[in-house]
Amino acid sequence: MAKVFSISVAELLSGNEVINNNISANMMRSQFYVCPICGNIVHTMGRSVISCHGIVLPPLEAEETDGMHDISLRKVEDEYFVSVEHEMTKQHYISFMAAVSSDRIQIVKLYPEGNAEARFKINGVRALYFYCNRDGLFVRKIR
């Protein structure tokens, strides 16, 4: 049926038409989606309709970092060394960190029982994101 109506299966199942108003992509409009079943991470440059395992994924809403989820940031030569004081167990962990600039994104996938830390090239980084599997997406703007 989706083919007959020239729409996506997600549009057919949700009943909502997807209209692309995003005339030009912009990395500072980055959206992240995480599948609750397999943990897939999807990045887009603006809102999209993303599905995984038959589930339409909502875009994650980033919150400013807080006392329980705070980023430590240190410059080391031409890189940022980023870490988060957070438990890293199979039940509660930081899944990924990302550094976004106006023209690129750097993503580091993290795993339970590892360290919640990553290195990113400084080149124009304007925001750092990280995703806690329990508490969601956090952001720290870089000035």
Side-chain angles (χ1 to χ4, degrees), residues 4-134:
V4 169
F5 293 113
S6 298
I7 61 173
S8 70
V9 174
E11 287 175 293
L12 180 65
L13 294 175
S14 72
N16 297 323
E17 180 182 15
V18 175
I19 299 171
N20 184 3
N21 293 327
N22 192 6
I23 296 170
S24 75
N26 180 337
M27 295 304 283
M28 297 313 296
R29 293 185 194 145
S30 288
Q31 295 285 307
F32 295 93
Y33 303 78
V34 175
C35 178
I37 296 172
C38 67
N40 272 344
I41 303 161
V42 179
H43 168 263
T44 63
M45 295 181 292
R47 291 211 178 238
S48 299
V49 176
I50 305 293
S51 64
C52 191
H53 290 88
I55 302 168
V56 175
L57 304 177
L60 299 173
E61 297 294 328
E63 297 178 33
E64 292 292 324
T65 57
D66 59 22
M68 292 186 58
H69 296 91
D70 200 15
I71 293 178
S72 171
L73 178 66
R74 205 172 30 155
K75 285 185 180 180
V76 179
E77 296 179 6
D78 65 339
E79 296 180 319
Y80 284 128
F81 176 73
V82 180
S83 63
V84 178
E85 283 295 321
H86 193 282
E87 69 177 302
M88 293 291 284
T89 64
K90 290 183 180 180
Q91 293 76 34
H92 192 194
Y93 59 93
I94 302 299
S95 174
F96 71 89
M97 291 184 182
V100 177
S101 63
S102 60
D103 65 346
R104 67 188 57 165
I105 184 168
Q106 305 168 67
I107 298 178
V108 174
K109 175 70 175 117
L110 302 173
Y111 297 95
E113 301 171 359
N115 293 324
E117 58 189 33
R119 289 180 178 265
F120 299 105
K121 292 288 184 187
I122 290 176
N123 295 350
V125 170
R126 294 179 40 202
L128 295 168
Y129 292 86
F130 67 92
Y131 178 75
C132 171
N133 74 320
R134 281 193 190 164

